[in-house]
Amino acid sequence: MLRRAVYRFCVPGGFVSAGLLPFTLNDHDQVKIDTKTVQSMYEEAPGDKQTGVERLQMMFTIDEFGRVSSELNSIYQAGFLGFLFGACYGGFVNSRVAYMNFLERNQATAFQSSFEAKKKLQDQVTLNFAKGAFRWGWRLALFTTSYVGIQTVVSVYRGKSSLYEYLAAGGVTGAMYKFSMGLRGMASGGLVGLALGGLAGGLSLGIMRATGTTMEEVRFWQYKWHTNREQAIRDSMKKQTDAEEEPMLTHHHNKFGTANLDLDAIEAEKRKIQLAVERETLMKKLEQEEQAEAAAAEAAAAASATAAKK
């Protein structure tokens, strides 16, 4: 009876709240080896027979199209998002502080016009927004890049994802963040980072386990989304280029037609010109040889005539 009640509660369709729980007693949400994601990863991945150093070398290698690996792409995205959120937070906070300070300091200031007051206020707000965005942006970008980078490097070296990477990344990043405060500050920052990294890693791994995915699949689909987006941009640019008509090319088509744009025709024309040049060179060489032979014959005849006179 207890098993029936648990099954009815967990299986989707038993209760309305069952749709909110990712835990089931059946295998509907299990990721198998014959799924589309796993098969795509196996087709593009070289396999799991590499060592940790070889996997790291592949991670930092650029392919023949100039694209980075999916791991480096995830690190880049994390750093960019960290910079974006840090810049927004620092800019908004500093601009608000600058706005309040300007109002407090200039309550009794006599401006020539309201336009001048608004201009100075806008200048102060914009300048402090830029300062706050830069101050918070590079710090949060460095923090997120180091955290995600260390976690990714350790995960790639070990060939799997676990809680150890998050703990190591949080501890090292926290210690680096408090580097200016000395050894005590680094120790406290490392402990806080260790705790926060473990918490973030536990939540991430729990969510991925509940949804039946892995970190490798997440990076893979992020990389595929990035490459598909670049391919879509290239295709759209190609269509736009093909749709645009160049005046010089249009004039050439109207005058000579489009038949000579064939690559085979161009190669045949080049071969014809090359044969003509070779033939002309050969004819000149034969003429030079004939002239040399005629000159030699004349010299021999002159020599024989001179000998006969003597």
Side-chain angles (χ1 to χ4, degrees):
M1 184 176 181
L2 180 61
R3 180 181 299 178
R4 183 182 301 175
V6 173
Y7 180 80
R8 186 181 179 186
F9 180 77
C10 294
V11 173
F15 284 98
V16 177
S17 60
L20 303 176
L21 298 176
F23 309 102
T24 60
L25 298 180
N26 49 35
D27 56 350
H28 295 325
D29 294 332
Q30 294 182 2
V31 178
K32 300 180 180 180
I33 196 172
D34 56 349
T35 58
K36 181 179 179 181
T37 302
V38 178
Q39 292 297 327
S40 300
M41 291 177 62
Y42 285 163
E43 289 177 0
E44 298 192 6
D48 297 332
K49 297 182 180 180
Q50 295 86 4
T51 61
V53 178
E54 291 176 350
R55 284 192 291 268
L56 288 178
Q57 290 178 354
M58 292 178 60
M59 172 182 170
F60 291 99
T61 302
I62 300 176
D63 60 4
E64 63 272 14
F65 300 104
R67 296 177 301 192
V68 298
S69 61
S70 59
E71 292 81 7
L72 282 181
N73 184 51
S74 63
I75 296 173
Y76 164 75
Q77 290 180 353
F80 178 77
L81 290 177
F83 177 81
L84 181 62
F85 282 107
C88 292
Y89 174 78
F92 292 151
V93 171
N94 274 32
S95 61
R96 184 179 182 278
V97 172
Y99 178 80
M100 299 302 296
N101 291 338
F102 184 85
L103 294 181
E104 292 178 359
R105 295 174 182 175
N106 296 277
Q107 290 182 357
T109 304
F111 295 100
Q112 295 180 359
S113 61
S114 60
F115 179 77
E116 181 185 2
K118 292 179 181 180
K119 183 178 182 301
K120 290 186 177 181
L121 176 61
Q122 185 64 39
D123 293 341
Q124 290 293 326
V125 170
T126 304
L127 182 61
N128 283 273
F129 183 90
K131 290 181 179 179
F134 178 76
R135 184 184 302 114
W136 279 91
W138 75 266
R139 292 180 180 179
L140 195 57
L142 180 62
F143 184 85
T144 53
T145 303
S146 60
Y147 177 78
V148 178
I150 294 172
Q151 184 267 330
T152 304
V153 167
V154 177
S155 176
V156 170
Y157 183 81
R158 297 180 67 240
K160 58 182 179 180
S161 298
S162 62
L163 189 62
Y164 300 110
E165 296 89 51
Y166 295 92
L167 293 174
V172 174
T173 305
M176 290 173 57
Y177 189 75
K178 295 295 183 179
F179 178 77
S180 59
M181 299 180 64
L183 295 178
R184 292 184 178 180
M186 292 179 63
S188 61
L191 292 176
V192 174
L194 191 70
L196 295 178
L199 179 61
L203 290 175
S204 300
L205 294 176
I207 293 173
M208 287 187 292
R209 185 176 180 83
T211 55
T213 58
T214 60
M215 183 59 69
E216 288 76 14
E217 290 180 341
V218 173
R219 296 196 192 104
F220 174 77
W221 284 114
Q222 286 180 349
Y223 179 73
K224 292 294 292 182
W225 174 82
H226 180 68
T227 54
N228 292 338
R229 180 175 178 272
E230 290 183 348
Q231 185 64 34
I233 293 174
R234 286 194 294 267
D235 293 341
S236 62
M237 292 179 64
K238 183 179 179 181
K239 290 181 180 179
Q240 184 178 1
T241 304
D242 295 339
E244 295 178 354
E245 295 184 358
E246 297 183 2
M248 185 178 297
L249 189 60
T250 304
H251 177 71
H252 181 273
H253 290 173
N254 295 332
K255 187 174 182 180
F256 301 101
T258 59
N260 57 347
L261 293 179
D262 189 8
L263 293 179
D264 296 334
I266 295 175
E267 292 294 333
E269 188 67 22
K270 289 172 61 177
R271 182 60 180 170
K272 187 185 297 184
I273 296 173
Q274 185 178 2
L275 291 175
V277 172
E278 292 178 356
R279 182 179 179 182
E280 185 178 357
T281 304
L282 182 60
M283 293 298 294
K284 289 182 179 180
K285 187 176 181 181
L286 291 176
E287 290 179 0
Q288 292 177 358
E289 290 180 355
E290 290 178 356
Q291 292 177 0
E293 291 178 357
E298 291 178 358
S304 60
T306 304
K309 289 180 180 180
K310 291 181 179 181

